[in-house]
Amino acid sequence: MNKLFLYSALYAVFLSGCGHHHETGSHEAHHVDKMLYTAYSDRFEVFAEADRFVAGKTSNILSHFSVLPKFKPLEKGKITITLKVNENETTQTLDKPARKGIYSFDLTPGETGKGFIKYTIQNEDGLHELTVTDVTVYATPKETEKAAGINGASNVNTTVFTKEQSWKIDFATAYPSFEPFGPVIKTTAIVNASPGNERIITAKTAGTVMFPSGVILEGKEIQAGQILFTVSGGDLADNNFAVRFADAKNNYEKSKTEYDRAAELAKEKIISEKELLSDKTEYENAKIIYDNLNKNFTASGQTVTSPMSGFVKQVFVKDGSFVETGQPVLTVSQNKYLMLTADVSQRRASVLGFIRTANICNPDDNRLYTLEQLNGKILSHGKSVNPDNFHIPVFLQIQNRGGFIEGGIVDIYLKTIIHDKALTVPNSALLEEQGLYFVWVQLTPELFEKREVQPGLSDGLKTEIRNGLRADERIVTRGAMMIKLSKSAGTLDAHAGHNH
């Protein structure tokens, strides 16, 4: 209750800044002499309130233009309106709006009958067209009285929300989707580094670890080829690398000299081919040992560099510690690709093979990502139960575009595919009141009906609607809460504040 009061108070402040002059009278009464027209393109929405057209008389067409998909007012642009009835055309061009998003046209039709209105919008993006069909031009004003109320919408369980109001908030409308929508498995997943995206760096010889700066911190960024640490065995009585390196170097140089000498003697037939081959073998063996040590070590010890750019994920030893050959020293991770391990209940085992995608929620900012947004994929799922938790693991790989942290836990919605189709709406379109769910159905772009619906499954982004809504009914997908607050604050006239 306290939150609702706070929201209502904030909304009252919002209304006070809209510059509306509230009028008395019902929605229908205000529009008894008006025709309401709505049209959409991929770039624009137009909502027009027009005087009923009578041949030879001037009618005003107050047109509200919203730029899609953000549903914000068209602030500039040249618009031409054309009313065509049979072969008769009446046009007017306005170079700029009367107010943001609002163009006020005046047309005098020259012929009676059925026709259409075409808007041609010219702005920095080029030319765009919107067409309103089923427009009638009457012969006399008396004929318009018979048509009064045809466009009137019932105000039962409806709320007025003007274009000026919707332009000030995050607002959008759309049709429900009719799409495949299978069972959704909601669970949690552990975030780990993806295979190949992380390397454990080990010591290639026994000795004392020395970090170049005296300390390596977890989280420190590093570049490929950067020196991570050295391992020195100079102070050791046994396995002293300096001695081994010097011995390998001496053997190499000695065997090379003997082989070169043998090669000259063999040319003069002083020694046999067998002796030359023996000297060559000793030389090549000594060279392999020396090259291997010289590549990975210096006279002071082993120098280890990073095989890839990334950051230090974990350090296993302290500076100055003794390590054995093959002992892990630290881990380098790129954090570009992550593997998610989700645990699924055994009762879901029969549908695991039908998982096709997923939605993933980052708990840090509560933002939901689709698997496609993260360039991810389903890797595999377990064929047996994990004895530690009696769940079946499902493995996914994602690109870390959402600021996920290794070792963390995320909420995940595993989406299966089914053959049937379902009517779905964005979760942002749903309102919950005491266990019941509602959506706002658009009757006009300024009048909305509160409709109870029966929700079904949810994938975290969308919810299945089992009853209460048709696929051809446009609904509010963003801004539903503000319309609810508008209804709580009291019904407003849909045209208060408009300049006719």
Side-chain angles (χ1 to χ4, degrees), residues 5 143 157 170 187 224 305 364 467:
F5 177 79
E143 289 185 9
N157 208 28
D170 183 20
T187 183
T305 59
D364 290 343
N467 194 20

Side-chain angles (χ1 to χ4, degrees), residues 372-432:
E372 291 73 21
Q373 286 176 323
L374 301 176
N375 195 25
K377 58 183 177 180
I378 308 293
L379 296 178
S380 66
H381 63 85
K383 303 300 188 294
S384 61
V385 174
N386 188 328
D388 294 330
N389 56 18
F390 301 101
H391 283 74
I392 302 173
V394 177
F395 303 98
L396 306 89
Q397 180 180 280
I398 62 171
Q399 190 172 349
N400 193 5
R401 297 175 177 176
F404 298 98
I405 300 176
E406 289 185 39
I409 296 177
V410 297
D411 293 324
I412 188 168
Y413 299 82
L414 301 171
K415 300 172 65 175
T416 62
I417 189 170
I418 58 174
H419 299 295
D420 297 332
K421 288 190 174 183
L423 194 69
T424 66
V425 300
N427 285 356
S428 57
L430 283 173
L431 293 173
E432 188 269 334

Side-chain angles (χ1 to χ4, degrees), residues 259-489:
Y259 171 64
D260 291 341
R261 176 176 174 275
E264 293 296 329
L265 295 176
K267 292 179 182 179
E268 303 295 333
K269 305 295 183 180
I270 298 175
I271 63 173
S272 64
E273 289 293 330
K274 182 178 180 180
E275 292 176 300
L276 177 62
L277 182 60
S278 176
D279 289 339
K280 181 181 179 181
T281 301
E282 290 184 11
Y283 161 69
E284 289 179 345
N285 290 338
K287 185 177 186 301
I288 291 173
I289 295 173
Y290 173 72
D291 287 345
N292 179 59
L293 294 176
N294 191 44
K295 177 181 178 182
N296 296 288
F297 302 88
T298 66
S300 60
Q302 176 200 17
T303 299
V304 179
T305 59
S306 177
M308 60 185 182
S309 297
F311 67 95
V312 178
K313 177 182 176 182
Q314 190 173 6
V315 180
F316 301 106
V317 300
K318 295 181 179 180
D319 188 33
S321 299
F322 176 80
V323 293
E324 297 286 354
T325 303
Q327 180 177 337
V329 176
L330 56 83
T331 302
V332 175
S333 179
Q334 291 182 320
N335 203 27
K336 291 182 179 180
Y337 289 91
L338 301 172
M339 186 172 71
L340 307 182
T341 304
D343 290 324
V344 178
S345 173
Q346 300 179 49
R347 62 187 178 88
R348 298 285 194 172
S350 60
V351 299
L352 293 185
F354 299 96
I355 296 175
R356 293 296 180 267
T357 185
N359 293 332
I360 302 152
C361 181
N362 189 341
D364 290 343
D365 55 9
N366 206 32
R367 182 177 176 184
L368 202 68
Y369 299 87
T370 65
L371 194 64
E372 291 73 21
Q373 286 176 323
L374 301 176
N375 195 25
K377 58 183 177 180
I378 308 293
L379 296 178
S380 66
H381 63 85
K383 303 300 188 294
S384 61
V385 174
N386 188 328
D388 294 330
N389 56 18
F390 301 101
H391 283 74
I392 302 173
V394 177
F395 303 98
L396 306 89
Q397 180 180 280
I398 62 171
Q399 190 172 349
N400 193 5
R401 297 175 177 176
F404 298 98
I405 300 176
E406 289 185 39
I409 296 177
V410 297
D411 293 324
I412 188 168
Y413 299 82
L414 301 171
K415 300 172 65 175
T416 62
I417 189 170
I418 58 174
H419 299 295
D420 297 332
K421 288 190 174 183
L423 194 69
T424 66
V425 300
N427 285 356
S428 57
L430 283 173
L431 293 173
E432 188 269 334
E433 293 180 6
Q434 299 180 350
L436 300 178
Y437 290 86
F438 301 86
V439 296
W440 290 108
V441 178
Q442 176 178 297
L443 303 181
T444 77
E446 290 191 335
L447 185 65
F448 303 90
E449 176 194 350
K450 184 180 179 182
R451 179 85 60 78
E452 182 181 351
V453 295
Q454 181 184 356
L457 300 171
S458 175
D459 65 1
L461 284 177
K462 294 183 178 181
T463 295
E464 173 190 11
I465 301 299
R466 294 176 176 171
N467 194 20
L469 187 66
R470 300 194 311 269
D472 61 348
E473 293 182 297
R474 198 174 188 95
I475 63 170
V476 176
T477 56
R478 296 198 308 269
M481 178 58 70
M482 295 302 290
I483 299 181
K484 176 182 177 181
L485 295 177
S486 174
K487 185 175 180 64
S488 300

Side-chain angles (χ1 to χ4, degrees), residues 134-318:
D134 197 21
V135 176
T136 302
V137 178
Y138 299 94
T140 65
K142 190 173 182 179
E143 289 185 9
T144 67
E145 296 176 5
K146 298 179 181 179
I150 294 178
N151 266 17
S154 172
N155 63 353
V156 177
N157 208 28
T158 59
T159 295
V160 171
F161 203 72
T162 66
K163 295 307 299 180
E164 289 93 332
Q165 288 175 272
S166 66
W167 287 338
K168 291 179 180 292
I169 65 170
D170 183 20
F171 180 86
T173 64
Y175 290 108
S177 298
F178 199 60
E179 58 188 349
F181 201 81
V184 179
I185 305 170
K186 181 181 179 182
T187 183
T188 57
I190 299 176
V191 182
N192 292 306
S194 181
N197 195 48
E198 183 175 289
R199 294 285 296 274
I200 297 177
I201 312 301
T202 61
K204 295 181 175 62
T205 186
T208 303
V209 172
M210 292 181 294
F211 296 117
S213 59
V215 62
I216 286 288
L217 299 177
E218 294 181 0
K220 182 177 181 180
E221 293 187 2
I222 55 175
Q223 302 298 320
Q226 180 178 335
I227 295 176
L228 298 176
F229 59 87
T230 59
V231 180
S232 174
D235 297 333
L236 303 177
D238 297 327
N239 198 27
N240 189 312
F241 175 75
V243 175
R244 290 172 53 204
F245 182 79
D247 185 55
K249 184 178 180 182
N250 292 335
N251 286 338
Y252 164 69
E253 292 176 347
K254 178 183 177 182
S255 60
K256 184 177 185 305
T257 301
E258 291 181 352
Y259 171 64
D260 291 341
R261 176 176 174 275
E264 293 296 329
L265 295 176
K267 292 179 182 179
E268 303 295 333
K269 305 295 183 180
I270 298 175
I271 63 173
S272 64
E273 289 293 330
K274 182 178 180 180
E275 292 176 300
L276 177 62
L277 182 60
S278 176
D279 289 339
K280 181 181 179 181
T281 301
E282 290 184 11
Y283 161 69
E284 289 179 345
N285 290 338
K287 185 177 186 301
I288 291 173
I289 295 173
Y290 173 72
D291 287 345
N292 179 59
L293 294 176
N294 191 44
K295 177 181 178 182
N296 296 288
F297 302 88
T298 66
S300 60
Q302 176 200 17
T303 299
V304 179
T305 59
S306 177
M308 60 185 182
S309 297
F311 67 95
V312 178
K313 177 182 176 182
Q314 190 173 6
V315 180
F316 301 106
V317 300
K318 295 181 179 180

